[in-house]
Amino acid sequence: MAAKAIPQDVLAPPARSAIFLVLTVRDGDEAADTVRGVLGDVAALVRSVGFRIPEAQLSCVTGIGSDLWDRLYPEAARPAHLHPFRALAGTVPSVVTGAAHQAPSTPGDLLFHIRSTRQDTCFELSRQLMVRLGEVAEAVDEVHGFRYYDERDLLGFVDGTENPGGAIAIDTVFVGDEDHEFAGSSYVIVQKYLHDLDAWGRLTVEQQQLIVGRTKSDDIELPDDVKPTNSHVAVNTIVDTDGNEQRIVRENMPFGSAGAGEFGTFFCGYAADPRITELMLSRMFIGEPEGNYDRILDFSRAVTGCSFFVPTASFLEDQAD
């Protein structure tokens, strides 16, 4: 990591509340100038909003999409693995819906991943960001996430159990000497999933556990001779040729609207190398071997998909100047 490069707060403590704000940015030099200035001030805005309630642990991670990167920083180098989200299309029909599973690619130039122990501080920071950006940016997706019981998703299972910690987490999410100019940066892929809770609720607990690959009550991974190869855990376990498990850090959050009957999980996966996340998604939607898709997709439908680069806080501030 470069001596003066300060990473963003990718590894902030688990949040009780979060707002995922995905924006598109208007074309033109004036819009680019405005955005560069706001991105350089995000850390200051976090301090201003969070100072009033320090125990809320307010933080914000800023991600920049592939197309916007070229517009904002035409003179800068380009991150090695920055590209738009690659849509995926399954090849076999779902055993539940009869349609092949799709992971769409949707618009997104900026991501603000705002986290806190309180929803009011998340809201206030998101409001301040939108005020500063004005008419140059438009929100195309805004998801208000919340902690659900003991870190569970709305399907009732604990989410994020296998997230690494400590030094392993740092190596997992931050770019190193392999892309020296961007050491301390990260990549993030986000998707919004909607759950069919009615269909899920008609399954027995035993059936649900075989689909997820873990026990529901105490969050213990099923033995290999019991866990199906198309369970969510099995599909997302990737081991390299040396036997080392390839990891990402998931910052998923449940969201929902009881009145609208909409319930889901916002997937947010950070990694130093986004190809690991992309391989996981390919195994989920297409399968390995092909057709052995992740059974959880029979009850969870992806409706968005975006990829972003997360430069260091130092880079954002320097480019604003």
Side-chain angles (χ1 to χ4, degrees):
M1 186 182 300
K4 295 183 179 179
I6 301 174
Q8 295 192 57
D9 290 330
V10 173
L11 295 176
R16 292 182 178 274
S17 297
I19 291 180
F20 300 93
L21 196 58
V22 179
L23 312 176
T24 54
V25 175
R26 196 180 68 205
D27 291 333
D29 293 339
E30 181 181 351
D33 289 343
T34 298
V35 171
R36 277 193 298 269
V38 173
L39 298 190
D41 281 347
V42 169
L45 285 171
V46 171
R47 288 193 296 272
S48 296
V49 175
F51 182 77
R52 289 171 281 172
I53 312 176
E55 65 273 17
Q57 299 178 319
L58 179 66
S59 67
C60 180
V61 173
T62 302
I64 303 171
S66 177
D67 294 339
L68 183 62
W69 180 271
D70 296 332
R71 292 157 53 194
L72 292 183
Y73 312 119
E75 305 301 324
R78 186 172 174 81
H81 301 301
L82 178 59
H83 56 76
F85 182 86
R86 292 167 178 158
L88 295 167
T91 58
V92 298
S94 162
V95 297
V96 173
T97 67
H101 301 295
Q102 308 284 325
S105 177
T106 52
D109 290 325
L110 284 175
L111 168 70
F112 292 114
H113 176 196
I114 303 169
R115 287 176 281 187
S116 175
T117 62
R118 296 174 47 145
Q119 185 67 22
D120 56 349
T121 55
C122 291
F123 167 77
E124 179 61 16
L125 180 57
S126 67
R127 188 180 74 86
Q128 293 293 340
L129 287 167
M130 294 305 297
V131 168
R132 285 288 305 276
L133 288 166
E135 295 182 355
V136 307
E138 176 185 0
V140 293
D141 196 22
E142 179 177 349
V143 173
H144 293 228
F146 52 85
R147 180 177 176 179
Y148 187 62
Y149 290 100
D150 48 340
E151 304 293 350
R152 295 180 185 269
D153 57 27
L154 296 184
L155 300 178
F157 285 77
V158 176
D159 194 7
T161 301
E162 296 300 323
N163 273 353
I168 297 176
I170 292 173
D171 291 340
T172 296
V173 301
F174 292 126
V175 174
D177 290 338
E178 69 276 9
D179 194 2
H180 179 74
E181 189 161 355
F182 293 108
S185 301
S186 187
Y187 294 85
V188 61
I189 291 176
V190 299
Q191 295 174 290
K192 180 197 287 186
Y193 286 86
L194 298 180
H195 304 321
D196 186 344
L197 292 188
D198 290 337
W200 182 253
R202 287 193 289 270
L203 301 178
T204 66
V205 171
E206 289 74 19
Q207 290 172 321
Q208 293 177 356
Q209 291 179 158
L210 291 174
I211 290 172
V212 173
R214 306 186 77 88
T215 58
K216 190 171 187 178
S217 62
D218 49 14
D219 189 39
I220 303 300
E221 186 171 338
L222 299 179
D224 288 342
D225 59 347
V226 175
K227 180 175 57 196
T229 60
N230 62 355
S231 67
H232 185 62
V233 170
V235 166
N236 282 275
T237 301
I238 297 176
V239 179
D240 65 16
T241 55
D242 296 324
N244 300 311
E245 185 172 346
Q246 303 298 289
R247 299 180 182 274
I248 66 173
V249 169
R250 295 171 175 84
E251 293 294 338
N252 305 347
M253 292 291 279
F255 68 91
S257 169
E262 181 179 271
F263 312 100
T265 297
F266 196 91
F267 167 78
C268 180
Y270 288 99
D273 186 344
R275 292 175 296 182
I276 297 173
T277 316
E278 290 167 347
L279 178 56
M280 290 178 177
L281 294 177
S282 176
R283 287 166 59 104
M284 283 182 65
F285 285 85
I286 297 174
E288 189 177 302
E290 186 172 326
N292 192 50
Y293 67 82
D294 189 337
R295 275 297 316 283
I296 208 168
L297 295 179
D298 289 333
F299 306 91
S300 299
R301 176 170 57 94
V303 294
T304 69
C306 298
S307 296
F308 302 95
F309 181 66
V310 180
T312 63
S314 305
F315 178 91
L316 295 176
E317 293 177 4
D318 290 346
Q319 290 296 322
D321 294 338

